[in-house]
Amino acid sequence: MAMNSTAVVVARDAASIGKHVTVQGWVRTRRDSKGGFSFIELNDGSCLKNLQVIADGNLPNYQSEILKLAPGCSVSIEGDIVKSGGGGQATEMKAASITVHGWADPELYPLQKKHHTLEKLREWAHLRPRTNTIGAVLRVRNRITRSIHDFFQDEGFLYVQTPIITASDCEGAGSMFHVTTKDPMFRVTSKNLDKVIDPEAPDFFGKPTYLTVSGQLEGEILASALGKIYTFGPTFRAENSNTTRHLSEFWMIEPEAAFFDLTANMDLAERFLKRIVKDAMTHCADDLAFFAEHVEKSLPEVLKNVAEKPFQRVTYTDAVNILLQSKQTFEYPVQWGIDLQTEHERYLTEQHFKSPVIVTDYPKAIKAFYMRQNDDGKTVRAMDILVPRIGEIIGGSQREERLDVLTARMKEMKLNEKDYWWYLDLRRFGTVPHSGFGLGLERMVQFVTGMGNIRDVIPFPRAPGSAEF
Ligand code: ATP
Ligand code: MN
């Protein structure tokens, strides 16, 4: 059945006029005409828009079924695609037969025509993909994941997988979820004495393990052999940050390239973001038009800007001076040495530069041990890319490839060299200058769609106190 069916996105195209096809999906609305026939708006997720189907009163199940179709019912409809009489669409379908697969009781089905808030829809994560907004988000998200692979494959990067369970903590990246088979809820009773585990006994992996916060350190291993690699996988942060830009589980893309200095790294990141935005503008035009109309008016201008204009580049020190001279009052006061907060990042990209901006050379005290130290003794070769509405979308750096400098820094930061023996080996044997960065997929989807809350750009968001579905 499904094998021969035609997607609505195809049936809506003028090239389908004259074809006899089957379409399958979910009813959005039914409208009955005085002339004794009905209009059915059918959506199958293949595009934002619906297919208008005309169901004639002569159809055998017109009275018994078609007149009972309501939002959410699932159907297969066979018929002819004809030129549409009405405006707004090129084609419509004249139904020859309609099979109902599943009813949706209008008294109970939550997604009626009335508008629901995004907060409310989050409680119905099992049904919200059927809404225009979340459907559009998920199509754009799909396109972005495709562009990510296309971009890196075209640039000669190898796609590699780094572990999800890890014993290394990519110091500084964020708090971690512990992975253990020991049950912290276990309470001894008279009936389960045989199941008591000695709390001193070794855990499953024989050492503490965590859900990964970043594949970078393992990515460096692979770049030190394969040259240019990227990872793209789930990432976990146990921070208790209830913001519109943080998830506990998100997807991160992390390229790592041997023989790349920070400038090559920035150039790569800029080409990368431009490619994603351009592809979305080309392939998701309808969905982006929807977001521009209903979600974020400035979207077309902001996206065009990113696609076409060169990103601004500024050192952290200059950025701090810009903020100090801005006469803006910030909630979090600015002084050299602070970690830039979202309000600072947004001022720089939205008000001052009015374009994406790459901030480089941050104070070493606020950055991770592995970032390459500058000769000034104070800063490291870090870079963050800031974009309007979001703030930081990419964080990256050139890595410290000099063994003596790296171990001295680790000592200063009280890190145990033994825990990083393999990481240091990369500097002992054939070390090379190398760089990489991390992009959070969901921040990118937020940026391209204009969606305000990161929980609405992933099908099943994980956040503090929330792991439904
Ligand atoms: P922020 O300061 O915004 O919390 P970060 O500096 O902790 O981010 P990095 O460790 O540099 O983030 O991670 C690289 C990228 O991963 C970020 O630039 C961002 O796009 C994304 N990212 C980081 N944390 C989260 C999160 N909790 N939820 C979603 N995306 C995230
Ligand atoms: Mn960062």
Side-chain angles (χ1 to χ4, degrees):
M1 176 169 64
M3 231 166 53
N4 301 318
S5 71
T6 299
V8 164
V9 67
V10 174
R12 282 182 53 87
D13 194 293
S16 291
I17 292 172
K19 297 206 168 120
H20 187 85
V21 302
T22 300
V23 291
Q24 304 185 301
W26 293 265
V27 172
R28 281 292 174 84
T29 60
R30 190 200 81 235
R31 203 154 47 77
D32 304 321
S33 155
K34 291 202 189 74
F37 58 94
S38 301
F39 294 101
I40 296 163
E41 293 286 329
L42 185 80
N43 192 283
D44 69 353
S46 62
C47 61
L48 180 76
K49 304 222 170 96
N50 305 321
L51 181 68
Q52 174 161 290
V53 179
I54 295 156
D56 199 88
N58 297 333
L59 290 169
N61 58 347
Y62 187 76
Q63 295 291 337
S64 60
E65 292 192 319
I66 293 169
L67 284 180
K68 292 181 190 143
L69 285 175
C73 293
S74 54
V75 291
S76 291
I77 310 180
E78 192 200 322
D80 292 321
I81 303 295
V82 298
K83 189 168 184 298
S84 177
Q89 69 246 334
T91 71
E92 59 194 28
M93 186 185 220
K94 283 192 76 72
S97 82
I98 298 184
T99 308
V100 182
H101 300 286
W103 296 97
D105 184 344
E107 299 294 312
L108 300 174
Y109 186 59
L111 302 181
Q112 300 301 328
K113 250 196 138 178
K114 108 184 208 342
H115 179 80
H116 296 293
T117 63
L118 291 166
E119 289 74 31
K120 191 76 208 159
L121 288 179
R122 259 172 244 149
E123 295 170 20
W124 300 320
H126 60 309
L127 297 172
R128 69 175 186 165
R130 300 185 191 183
T131 63
N132 282 337
T133 307
I134 303 300
V137 163
L138 295 177
R139 280 185 299 275
V140 172
R141 184 180 167 108
N142 168 66
R143 179 67 234 185
I144 291 174
T145 64
R146 178 167 169 184
S147 297
I148 288 163
H149 285 296
D150 286 352
F151 173 81
F152 284 116
Q153 296 293 328
D154 290 352
E155 294 256 349
F157 282 63
L158 292 190
Y159 177 37
V160 298
Q161 289 75 30
T162 49
I164 289 169
I165 299 175
T166 174
S168 76
D169 71 356
C170 202
E171 191 277 330
S175 355
M176 310 183 81
F177 291 100
H178 206 143
V179 174
T180 177
T181 48
K182 295 188 180 182
D183 181 359
M185 305 301 277
F186 189 83
R187 298 288 175 272
V188 187
T189 68
S190 58
K191 294 199 185 89
N192 63 14
L193 284 170
D194 57 319
K195 299 209 171 63
V196 174
I197 300 174
D198 173 6
E200 302 298 316
D203 202 351
F204 191 88
F205 293 105
K207 58 156 107 171
T209 46
Y210 309 91
L211 293 179
T212 184
V213 290
S214 162
Q216 180 202 317
L217 302 190
E218 289 94 348
E220 287 184 54
I221 295 180
L222 298 162
S224 300
L226 302 165
K228 297 189 282 187
I229 61 94
Y230 68 106
T231 69
F232 186 176
T235 309
F236 306 87
R237 305 260 169 115
E239 301 145 318
N240 206 346
S241 42
N242 252 310
T243 77
T244 55
R245 321 174 310 136
H246 289 88
L247 290 164
S248 312
E249 174 180 302
F250 63 100
W251 287 67
M252 186 143 67
I253 302 95
E254 295 183 278
E256 190 72 36
F259 308 106
F260 269 42
D261 63 8
L262 195 73
T263 305
N265 199 30
M266 290 191 282
D267 292 346
L268 178 77
E270 182 168 344
R271 286 199 300 282
F272 178 48
L273 293 184
K274 284 184 149 67
R275 169 74 180 267
I276 293 175
V277 168
K278 278 187 201 158
D279 279 358
M281 288 165 72
T282 308
H283 299 284
C284 301
D286 275 356
D287 291 323
L288 293 191
F290 172 86
F291 291 120
E293 192 181 333
H294 298 285
V295 175
E296 177 59 54
K297 296 268 173 294
S298 71
L299 192 64
E301 194 196 321
V302 171
L303 293 183
K304 193 160 175 279
N305 209 328
V306 171
E308 289 170 6
K309 287 209 197 136
F311 293 7
Q312 302 292 312
R313 298 181 186 192
V314 62
T315 64
Y316 169 91
T317 302
D318 288 344
V320 164
N321 286 332
I322 289 168
L323 292 169
L324 287 172
Q325 281 154 27
S326 70
K327 303 195 176 70
Q328 193 87 2
T329 42
F330 294 110
E331 206 172 301
Y332 195 96
V334 178
Q335 92 187 61
W336 198 95
I338 63 155
D339 205 355
L340 298 182
Q341 306 295 307
T342 306
E343 53 173 341
H344 308 132
E345 296 173 343
R346 291 190 59 174
Y347 176 82
L348 290 168
T349 167
E350 289 170 15
Q351 311 286 326
H352 187 82
F353 289 105
K354 299 188 177 16
S355 112
V357 43
I358 312 183
V359 181
T360 63
D361 303 290
Y362 283 76
K364 67 176 181 186
I366 58 170
K367 290 292 182 184
F369 74 96
Y370 50 73
M371 297 193 183
R372 193 177 199 279
Q373 290 187 51
N374 285 319
D375 294 338
D376 64 9
K378 293 190 306 196
T379 60
V380 288
R381 280 310 254 161
M383 64 127 178
D384 278 5
I385 302 189
L386 318 179
V387 293
R389 287 194 324 266
I390 311 278
E392 177 187 334
I393 197 162
I394 278 182
S397 66
Q398 183 169 340
R399 321 304 188 189
E400 184 57 76
E401 85 283 14
R402 297 163 296 184
L403 181 64
D404 51 338
V405 183
L406 184 59
T407 49
R409 183 71 186 136
M410 287 174 69
K411 227 173 242 122
E412 269 171 29
M413 295 178 76
K414 305 210 161 43
L415 294 174
N416 189 348
E417 280 185 34
K418 282 207 191 73
D419 294 339
Y420 294 90
W421 65 273
W422 49 265
Y423 194 70
L424 295 171
D425 262 7
L426 300 178
R427 278 76 184 162
R428 274 185 198 106
F429 310 123
T431 192
V432 286
H434 63 288
S435 303
F437 62 81
L439 168 73
L441 173 65
E442 287 74 18
R443 295 233 180 129
M444 193 67 208
V445 180
Q446 263 191 295
F447 180 67
V448 174
T449 59
M451 294 292 286
N453 194 316
I454 199 164
R455 297 178 197 199
D456 299 325
V457 299
I458 185 167
F460 309 105
R462 297 288 175 260
S466 152
E468 199 64 51
F469 302 98

